Amino acid sequence: MIIPYQDLEPDTLTRLLQDFVSRDGTDNGYDASEAQRVERARRALERRQAYIVFDEESQQCQLITAHDLDPAYIRQYTTAD
């Protein structure tokens, strides 16, 4: 299920993004601060280049790029806006 980032309280979104960018495997080799990586992730959400996806089975949220999601899944979300 895609979670609209706009529905999250600003502080909750910031903490969630901080968690996403600090997870193992998210260091892409660039010398960017956590604040810069959070802002980059926030812009990706705003541009619909990434989505917050809640996996009901694992009960976890993930930040997933639009490229890695099924276009039909994204269309379902965007038509609900």
Side-chain angles (χ1 to χ4, degrees):
M1 162 180 23
I2 293 178
I3 306 295
Y5 74 93
Q6 306 93 320
D7 290 355
L8 299 174
E9 292 291 329
D11 289 342
T12 301
L13 176 60
T14 297
R15 286 191 304 273
L16 191 59
L17 292 174
Q18 287 169 333
D19 178 61
F20 289 149
V21 303
S22 64
R23 289 180 182 175
D24 286 341
T26 60
D27 182 7
N28 58 9
Y30 296 111
D31 248 352
S33 68
E34 179 181 283
Q36 289 170 318
R37 294 191 320 258
V38 165
E39 187 55 32
R40 201 174 298 140
R42 187 183 313 271
R43 283 194 312 270
L45 290 170
E46 291 168 355
R47 294 178 182 150
R48 295 186 175 187
Q49 296 170 332
Y51 295 89
I52 298 171
V53 176
F54 179 72
D55 178 49
E56 293 183 33
E57 186 175 316
S58 69
Q59 297 290 299
Q60 301 246 348
C61 284
Q62 296 180 325
L63 184 65
I64 301 180
T65 64
H67 175 64
D68 290 327
L69 285 173
D70 181 340
Y73 191 68
I74 295 171
R75 274 193 304 280
Q76 178 184 358
Y77 162 72
T78 57
T79 57
D81 282 352

